[in-house]
Amino acid sequence: MGNEFATIFQEEAQELLENLEQDLLDLEDAPDNGDIVDRVFRTMHTIKGSGAMFGFTEVADFTHHVENILVEVREGRLPVSRELISLVLQSRDHITSLITGADSDTGAGDQIIEKLSHLLAASDEVAGVDKAEADPPPSGKNLSIGSLQEICSAIAGDLFLLVRAPDDKIVSGQVRDNFHLLFQGVEQLGWHEFAELPQEVGRSIDRAMSQEGMTLPFLDLCDGARNLIEDVLQFGGPPEPKDYHDFLQNFDNEVGHDVDRVDVEDGKGIVASEEPEGEQDRIGEILVEQGYVAQDILADVLEQQKPLGKMLVDANVVTQDNIDQALSEQQKRKLIKADKKIQPAGAKTDSIRVAAEKLDVLINLVGELVVTQARLSEMSGVHSGSELLESIEDLERLTTELRECVLSVRMLPIGSTFARFKRLVRDLSNDLGKDIQLFTTGGETELDKTMLDLLAEPLVHLIRNAVDHGIETPAEREGKGKAPFGTISLGAVHSGPHVVVTISDDGKGIDTETLLAKGVALGLLSPDTDPADKKILDLVFQPGMSTSKDISTISGRGVGMDVVHSSIASLKGTVAVSSLPETGTTFTLTLPLTMSIIDGLLVQAATTRFILPLLQIEECVELSDHGVSRQNGRHVYQFREKLIPFIRLREFYSFSGDQPALEQMVIVRMKKDFLGIVVDQVIGDHQTVIKSLGWVYRNAPGLSGATILGDGRVALILDVAGIYGHAMSEELCVV
Amino acid sequence: MKDLDVKTGEQFLAFTLRDEEYALDITKVREVLDVTTLTRIPRMPSYLSGVINLRGNVVPVIDLGLRLGLPPISFTVNSCIMIMEILVGEEEIPVLMGGMTDRVKTVLDIPPEGIEPPPRMGINISTDFILGMGREDEKFLIILDIDKVLTTEGEALLQDQKSGIIAEV
C-alpha cells in the first residue's frame, strides 16, 4: 500500500474519530438513542475495515475488541453506562494515537482491552465468550444501506488480512458472517434476486473453510463480489440482474459449484451492459439448447421481467427524467469504478479536501492583487480618464468580492472547536468529582481557520479555570441552595466585524476582596479603591496574579489568565471579565473575523508610515496645547471630561527631527481604556494586507506586522496593546 | 537586479565587506538586488537595517558589516543586498533574509580540498561565524557560515531585547 493511501486513511480516520467523540458524548446524554449506537458502531467498523486494508493492523485488531463490546450495546445486552462511555472514549484516544503513531505504547491498549473484556464479562449473557468464534452469524435487523456499506469495507479489510494469513479461521468466519449480514440486508431491501450473490459467496466461504482453505484466487473472487455489492449499494437501488449474473456465474464456475437458478435477460437494453466476465452461456440459453424450455416460452418469461426503472415509472414513484438521470449516473459510476478501492464507502463529494498551504498561497495572491489594485487606484487620480476610471472601479469591486470569497473559504465553524471542550469538561469534572454540564450555542459561527487554531488554547485555559475553580462541588452547591450540577455555557456570535465568544459559569465568582488586597499589596491599586470597581477584576490578567499561589487557591482564579490575555491580544482581540459573587463569572472574548486583511488607518510619524487597526480607533483629533497637561512627568490629554494618557510615536521610537506645529492624535481603545497616539499626519483609510515582519523582527516592540503601500513602500502595523504595555512600563504615560 | 545562475557543485559567491573578501555557499543565495528603499524598524539592534518590499513580500535586511562587528556598509553604487533563504528554528522553517554588502564580486569554484580551517588569529571576526578559508589563486577568502551569522547569535541578541519587554512575558 502506498504511503499516500495511508495518509488519506489517517486524515479520514481522524475526522471519523472526531465525530466519534461527539457521538459518544451525545450518547452519554441520551443512552437510549439507538441511532447514535449504530453510528458509533459503524464508525468503529469503518476504522477497523479500512485500517486493515491500509496496513494499520494494530488499529484493526484493537478496534475489533471495541467493536465486540459495541455489538453487545447495540443488541441491548449491555446498558450504556458512564463507565462504558469512558472506556470507549479511552479506546478512541488509543486508536488516535495508534493512527498518528504518536504513541506506540501497546500496554495502554492491552489495559483498555482488559477493561473492555471485564465489562463484557459483567454483562450476564455473554460472559467470557469469544465473539468471533462462538457467535452465530449476527442477525441483521434494520440494516440500512449505510451500514451495509460499512460491512463491505469491513470485508475489504478482512480480505486484506486473509491475503497475508489465509488460514485465519476467525477472520474467515468474520468475512462469512459479514456476507451473511449482507445477504440479510439485501433481502430486507427487497432485492431478493440480488441477495443470492452474498448468500452464495457466504456459502462458498463456509465450504472453502472446511475444505481447501482460502486460496488467493478465491479471495480475489470474494473481493470482486464485495466490490460489486458495494457498487450496487452506492447506486442505492436493486441492480439489473444482468449486472451481476455474469459475475455470479463466473464465481460459481470458479469455485466449482453448480448453479440451479434461471437466468433472466434484460430485454429492454436501456442499461449498457458491462463487459462479460467470461464466455459462459446463460442458463436460459443452455436450458433452451437442452430442450427443457422452448425459446418462445423463455422469451415470454423474460418479457415479464421489466427493468426496474420502467416498473418504478409505471408505479408513479419516479418520473422518466429521474430514471434517465439515475441511469447516466449509473453509467458514470461504472466508469469510476476502477478507483473504487481507494474510495471509502459512502463518501459524498459535495466538499473537497484542500491542503491548507494552497489556501495560504491563494490568500497571498489575493493580498498582492489588493496591493496592486490600490496602486492602480492611486494612479487613476493622476491619469484621469473616464474609461480608465471605470475599469479601475470595476477592478476594485471585483477585487473586493474576490477577497471576501477567498477569505470565506478559510472560514470554519467554531463548533468543531467547541466539540473538543465537551470532552474536556467531562473528563475534568469526573476527575474533580464535580457534576458539570457544558452548553454550547452558536457553534455554526464562522471564524478564520488560523484564528480558530490559535483560539483553542486560551479557551482551554478559561474552561479549565471555570471547571477547576469556578464551579463548586455538588455538596457545596447544595449548601448554597444551587442546583447540584454546575453549568458552563460556551457561546459564539457574530457582532459586526467581530466574533464574540463568551464563557460563563454559574460558580462562586471571583473573590474581589482578596484580589483587591493583592492588587494593593503589589501597588497596582490604591487602598481606597471601591470594591465594586471593574479595575479589580481586570487584575486577573496581570502576570503577577497568576503565579501567586494563595490568590489562585483563595480567589480561585488567575492560573494562566495572563496567557489568555496575551494570546487573545496577539489575535488582535480583547478579553473582558465580569463576575458576581455566588452567581458566576463570564469571560467575553472579542475577536476580529480574520487576520490576513484588515481595515486600517494610515498615519505618518517622521518619515515612517504606520497602520493602526481601524477597529480599535475611537476618534482622531488635533492635539491642541490647552488640553495637554502633565501628571508626574507623563502626558495626559483632556478629552471630553476625561483625561487620556497619550504618547508621541516620535518619542516612543526616538525619531530624529522636529515635530510639526500641528500634531494629530489618534485615540485608540483597548477594552475600557483609551490611549492617545500622537502622529505627524493622518493620511487615511487603507485596506491592509497583513504581512509578517519576518523572523528577526518577530519581537519588534509595538509592531505586529507590516504591509505594502500602493507606492511600494512598507508601512508598519502598530500593535496598540503592545505600545500601551511598553508605554506603561516606560512610564511615558499615566495608566 | 542581477539574477544568479545557481549550479550544483562547490560554488561560492564572493563579496566584500570593507576591503576584506568573503564568500558564502551559493545555494543559500536566491538573488542579488541593488539597495532599494529600506524601512527601518525602530527600537531594534542597529545591525538590523530594516525591511524591504521584495515583489510584495516583506523581507528583513541585515547589515553584514555591523553584524560581524565591522563598520556599517556605506551606500555606494556597488552596495547590494543578497537575498538568502535560510532555515530558522527547530522546525527549520525556510525564511528569506537580506544581507547587505559593499560589493558582490563573482561566483567561484572552490573544491573541498581548497578550503582550510579558519586561523586562530589574524582576522577581525569571531571564528564561530566562519566555515573555513577558501584559497583563490594566492588570496584567501573568509567563507561565512551564513546560517549562523543570520540566526544563532542574532537570536541571543533578540532574546536580550525581549527580556526588556514586559507586556509580552
Side-chain angles (χ1 to χ4, degrees):
Chain A
M1 281 294 149
N3 241 343
E4 194 187 329
F5 295 152
T7 316
I8 293 175
F9 167 70
Q10 281 174 331
E11 279 174 10
E12 269 162 8
Q14 294 209 17
E15 214 163 275
L16 283 172
L17 286 166
E18 255 166 51
N19 295 341
L20 181 67
E21 183 167 53
Q22 190 56 43
D23 283 340
L24 285 169
L25 293 168
D26 288 348
L27 184 61
E28 190 168 29
D29 293 340
D32 299 329
N33 193 330
D35 287 348
I36 306 181
V37 177
D38 281 349
R39 216 153 53 216
V40 168
F41 184 77
R42 276 204 306 271
T43 310
M44 280 291 181
H45 211 88
T46 311
I47 292 169
K48 178 175 107 172
S50 27
M53 189 153 59
F54 293 122
F56 290 81
T57 41
E58 227 179 314
V59 174
D61 290 347
F62 180 76
T63 316
H64 179 67
H65 289 278
V66 187
E67 211 183 52
N68 280 348
I69 206 154
L70 290 174
V71 171
E72 297 304 306
V73 177
R74 198 175 61 175
E75 303 296 322
R77 288 195 288 264
L78 192 65
V80 175
S81 62
R82 210 176 173 82
E83 188 194 0
L84 175 93
I85 297 284
S86 293
L87 217 49
V88 181
L89 278 172
Q90 279 173 29
S91 314
R92 176 212 161 266
D93 295 346
H94 185 64
I95 296 169
T96 312
S97 56
L98 282 178
I99 288 173
T100 53
D103 180 15
S104 54
D105 178 17
T106 48
D110 292 342
Q111 262 178 14
I112 297 173
I113 291 171
E114 199 177 311
K115 284 189 200 155
L116 283 172
S117 46
H118 271 304
L119 209 55
L120 257 186
S123 93
D124 336 327
E125 294 183 32
V126 284
V129 179
D130 188 347
K131 299 264 309 145
E133 267 180 335
D135 256 22
S139 66
K141 55 170 183 191
N142 288 328
L143 288 161
S144 66
I145 289 190
S147 57
L148 290 176
Q149 284 175 326
E150 307 290 347
I151 294 173
C152 282
S153 9
I155 292 177
D158 286 342
L159 286 173
F160 188 73
L161 287 179
L162 281 175
V163 170
R164 289 187 300 171
D167 298 330
D168 192 328
K169 292 276 185 227
I170 298 177
V171 183
S172 310
Q174 273 175 27
V175 176
R176 178 198 57 204
D177 293 350
N178 278 332
F179 271 110
H180 188 75
L181 270 179
L182 282 179
F183 158 66
Q184 288 180 333
V186 174
E187 275 278 323
Q188 272 171 29
L189 290 168
W191 311 341
H192 302 295
E193 294 265 0
F194 183 63
E196 280 179 36
L197 176 62
Q199 190 184 23
E200 189 56 41
V201 178
R203 277 191 208 142
S204 310
I205 296 173
D206 218 13
R207 230 179 358 258
M209 280 167 68
S210 57
Q211 297 167 12
E212 67 266 39
M214 310 286 271
T215 60
L216 270 181
F218 179 69
L219 287 172
D220 228 26
L221 277 171
C222 292
D223 196 48
R226 176 201 59 79
N227 213 350
L228 195 64
I229 295 169
E230 214 168 19
D231 279 357
V232 167
L233 289 170
Q234 192 158 18
F235 178 53
E240 298 295 339
K242 186 166 178 18
D243 288 352
Y244 61 88
H245 271 204
D246 284 341
F247 180 85
L248 194 50
Q249 210 156 41
N250 192 19
F251 185 85
D252 290 335
N253 281 354
E254 290 283 334
V255 296
H257 179 60
D258 292 330
V259 253
D260 52 356
R261 108 181 58 73
V262 179
D263 198 8
V264 274
E265 173 73 294
D266 166 27
K268 301 287 177 261
I270 55 170
V271 176
S273 72
E274 230 174 331
E275 279 292 305
E277 301 250 359
E279 291 298 307
Q280 290 88 19
D281 291 325
R282 300 185 170 279
I283 287 290
E285 286 159 16
I286 296 170
L287 287 172
V288 172
E289 248 174 51
Q290 295 177 347
Y292 292 122
V293 184
Q295 178 73 47
D296 50 343
I297 293 175
L298 178 68
D300 271 357
V301 173
L302 288 174
E303 191 63 27
Q304 288 163 18
Q305 170 86 18
K306 292 178 187 170
L308 166 81
K310 187 87 173 66
M311 292 196 288
L312 285 172
V313 174
D314 289 350
N316 277 334
V317 184
V318 292
T319 65
Q320 186 62 42
D321 283 352
N322 294 146
I323 298 290
D324 291 345
Q325 273 172 17
L327 284 172
S328 72
E329 181 64 22
Q330 184 188 35
Q331 190 72 11
K332 199 167 86 197
R333 289 185 185 178
K334 276 181 185 158
L335 289 172
I336 59 172
K337 197 170 129 189
D339 291 326
K340 202 41 60 61
K341 279 187 185 169
I342 318 166
Q343 295 235 346
K348 305 279 178 287
T349 49
D350 48 0
S351 63
I352 55 166
R353 198 186 288 273
V354 179
E357 301 96 74
K358 284 191 187 170
L359 280 184
D360 291 342
V361 172
L362 199 59
I363 290 275
N364 279 340
L365 286 175
V366 170
E368 283 184 39
L369 191 64
V370 170
V371 171
T372 315
Q373 186 266 317
R375 189 154 73 215
L376 264 181
S377 300
E378 222 164 85
M379 276 162 57
S380 73
V382 185
H383 315 277
S384 54
S386 65
E387 267 182 51
L388 178 69
L389 223 62
E390 223 170 83
S391 338
I392 286 177
E393 269 165 22
D394 279 349
L395 181 67
E396 199 171 332
R397 185 178 48 78
L398 286 173
T399 314
T400 312
E401 271 174 36
L402 181 66
R403 185 192 100 172
E404 270 157 23
C405 178
V406 171
L407 287 179
S408 78
V409 172
R410 284 174 58 93
M411 295 297 211
L412 290 176
I414 200 170
S416 56
T417 310
F418 281 1
R420 273 191 259 169
F421 298 134
K422 223 170 164 186
R423 174 78 186 277
L424 179 78
V425 168
R426 179 191 181 279
D427 289 358
L428 274 179
S429 54
N430 266 1
D431 290 352
L432 294 166
K434 293 180 183 175
D435 191 357
I436 300 175
Q437 293 283 327
L438 177 74
F439 294 104
T440 59
T441 51
E444 70 289 340
T445 312
E446 290 189 327
L447 261 176
D448 188 273
K449 184 187 171 299
T450 330
M451 183 86 82
L452 263 189
D453 292 346
L454 295 171
L455 189 60
E457 195 201 325
L459 282 181
V460 167
H461 270 298
L462 289 172
I463 286 173
R464 271 180 168 278
N465 264 309
V467 175
D468 199 5
H469 307 303
I471 306 253
E472 313 90 330
T473 59
E476 271 179 77
R477 291 183 67 91
E478 289 201 79
K480 291 175 184 172
K482 290 183 181 178
F485 61 88
T487 307
I488 297 177
S489 336
L490 193 55
V493 69
H494 278 291
S495 153
H498 289 110
V499 170
V500 178
V501 180
T502 51
I503 300 117
S504 327
D505 64 59
D506 64 348
K508 56 187 170 228
I510 297 175
D511 181 352
T512 42
E513 279 175 35
T514 323
L515 208 55
L516 174 60
K518 188 80 191 171
V520 172
L522 288 173
L524 293 166
L525 289 176
S526 65
D528 53 354
T529 311
D530 179 5
D533 198 323
K534 288 270 181 202
K535 264 190 203 161
I536 302 172
L537 282 179
D538 288 341
L539 280 182
V540 295
F541 299 117
Q542 288 290 328
M545 293 295 161
S546 62
T547 48
S548 162
K549 263 218 164 117
D550 50 2
I551 275 286
S552 64
T553 49
I554 297 168
S555 80
R557 289 284 172 180
V559 179
M561 279 301 155
D562 60 317
V563 177
V564 171
H565 188 251
S566 58
S567 46
I568 296 297
S570 73
L571 295 174
K572 313 266 175 296
T574 57
V575 202
V577 57
S578 68
S579 179
L580 279 176
E582 303 312 333
T583 309
T585 309
T586 301
F587 285 92
T588 308
L589 315 183
T590 310
L591 301 155
L593 280 177
T594 177
M595 287 171 49
S596 24
I597 301 182
I598 59 164
D599 286 316
L601 185 73
L602 187 61
V603 299
Q604 185 160 348
T607 53
T608 310
R609 292 190 168 185
F610 294 94
I611 295 280
L612 279 158
L614 209 55
L615 290 173
Q616 285 175 288
I617 293 175
E618 196 68 18
E619 205 160 331
C620 295
V621 293
E622 277 174 13
L623 188 71
S624 50
D625 281 341
H626 68 264
V628 179
S629 57
R630 291 175 85 83
Q631 281 188 358
N632 309 329
R634 301 156 183 174
H635 303 295
V636 286
Y637 183 76
Q638 173 89 33
F639 174 67
R640 291 191 198 145
E641 330 282 299
K642 257 187 292 187
L643 282 179
I644 299 175
F646 71 88
I647 57 161
R648 285 193 165 82
L649 272 190
R650 277 175 171 274
E651 284 172 17
F652 182 66
Y653 284 130
S654 325
F655 288 134
S656 55
D658 293 332
Q659 61 200 47
L662 192 62
E663 291 172 293
Q664 304 285 327
M665 179 160 78
V666 183
I667 297 170
V668 293
R669 182 197 193 104
M670 281 152 306
K671 288 181 286 169
K672 309 242 164 4
D673 298 319
F674 293 97
L675 174 71
I677 294 176
V678 178
V679 299
D680 293 359
Q681 196 191 347
V682 172
I683 297 169
D685 286 2
H686 188 265
Q687 236 182 50
T688 309
V689 182
I690 301 177
K691 307 262 179 189
S692 154
L693 267 176
W695 179 76
V696 294
Y697 290 121
R698 65 197 184 287
N699 295 320
L703 298 177
S704 61
T707 192
I708 289 168
L709 300 176
D711 61 4
R713 286 166 63 183
V714 178
L716 307 174
I717 301 171
L718 286 173
D719 166 20
V720 173
I723 288 191
Y724 188 67
H726 277 272
M728 269 164 52
S729 65
E730 289 163 22
E731 307 204 329
L732 285 172
C733 64
V734 179
V735 180
Chain B
M1 190 204 312
K2 304 153 213 166
D3 269 318
L4 291 161
D5 187 10
V6 178
K7 298 187 191 94
T8 53
E10 316 291 335
Q11 289 195 313
F12 295 86
L13 184 68
F15 59 95
T16 56
L17 296 175
R18 296 277 106 181
D19 297 323
E20 266 183 288
E21 304 240 339
Y22 292 84
L24 60 86
D25 181 357
I26 203 164
T27 57
K28 306 271 182 198
V29 182
R30 289 269 296 265
E31 60 189 289
V32 177
L33 308 173
D34 290 331
V35 176
T36 59
T37 317
L38 270 162
T39 304
R40 261 208 102 76
I41 309 293
R43 298 178 72 143
M44 292 302 278
S46 60
Y47 69 85
L48 296 172
S49 307
V51 291
I52 55 163
N53 167 13
L54 178 67
R55 293 185 297 277
N57 287 310
V58 176
V59 177
V61 176
I62 287 174
D63 184 319
L64 284 177
L66 281 174
R67 184 73 193 93
L68 297 172
L70 306 167
I73 305 297
S74 48
F75 295 156
T76 67
V77 282
N78 287 325
S79 48
C80 31
I81 298 173
M82 301 182 288
I83 301 294
M84 293 164 278
E85 189 176 271
I86 57 163
L87 306 172
V88 298
E90 277 173 21
E91 285 125 58
E92 309 214 315
I93 307 152
V95 296
L96 289 183
M97 255 190 237
M100 211 155 36
T101 70
D102 282 317
R103 177 200 287 260
V104 168
K105 296 187 74 179
T106 178
V107 179
L108 294 174
D109 288 296
I110 308 177
E113 59 270 20
I115 299 173
E116 290 171 19
R120 295 194 176 268
M121 310 168 74
I123 43 171
N124 349 349
I125 65 168
S126 161
T127 49
D128 286 350
F129 292 151
I130 301 176
L131 274 183
M133 306 297 288
R135 200 173 47 239
E136 162 78 275
D137 298 329
E138 291 309 301
K139 285 185 301 181
F140 276 100
L141 306 140
I142 299 167
I143 300 176
L144 290 177
D145 184 343
I146 198 69
D147 286 279
K148 261 192 189 164
V149 172
L150 296 182
T151 63
T152 321
E153 285 299 305
E155 192 167 10
L157 275 172
L158 284 168
Q159 271 165 357
D160 290 345
Q161 191 79 12
K162 198 176 163 186
S163 62
I165 301 171
I166 283 155
E168 295 201 356
V169 175

